Amino acid sequence: YIEINWEPLQQWGFYVRQSAWTLSDAIDNEQTDFGLNYYPYDGVVFKADIQIQNEEAGDADGFGLAMGYAF
């Protein structure tokens, strides 16, 4: 698992996450996520991401939206 985050502007950030795991011998599962973060206020984030999985991980590509709040 590795994640790289970059915030080029005060309210915007981008990230890429690479995950790899093995549940049984000779099967390597991999997933890559690309995301965008928007910080409208301190402690608040809106997130959008795209998930890409390889065939061994289930080939379950997808799209997600989320909101986070730190208190």
Side-chain angles (χ1 to χ4, degrees):
Y1 177 92
I2 187 169
E3 181 173 314
I4 298 170
N5 186 33
W6 179 49
E7 294 180 23
L9 302 171
Q10 183 176 2
Q11 292 183 310
W12 292 94
F14 304 93
Y15 69 91
V16 176
R17 180 185 308 127
Q18 178 66 38
S19 305
W21 66 98
T22 301
L23 298 176
S24 63
D25 292 339
I27 298 177
D28 295 323
N29 302 291
E30 293 184 14
Q31 177 174 316
T32 304
D33 297 278
F34 301 94
L36 172 68
N37 297 328
Y38 173 62
Y39 306 96
Y41 309 103
D42 285 338
V44 176
V45 63
F46 291 97
K47 304 173 80 69
D49 63 64
I50 296 173
Q51 166 186 304
I52 302 169
Q53 289 185 340
N54 69 351
E55 193 172 318
E56 289 82 4
D59 204 21
D61 299 345
F63 177 79
L65 297 173
M67 181 197 157
Y69 176 69
F71 54 92

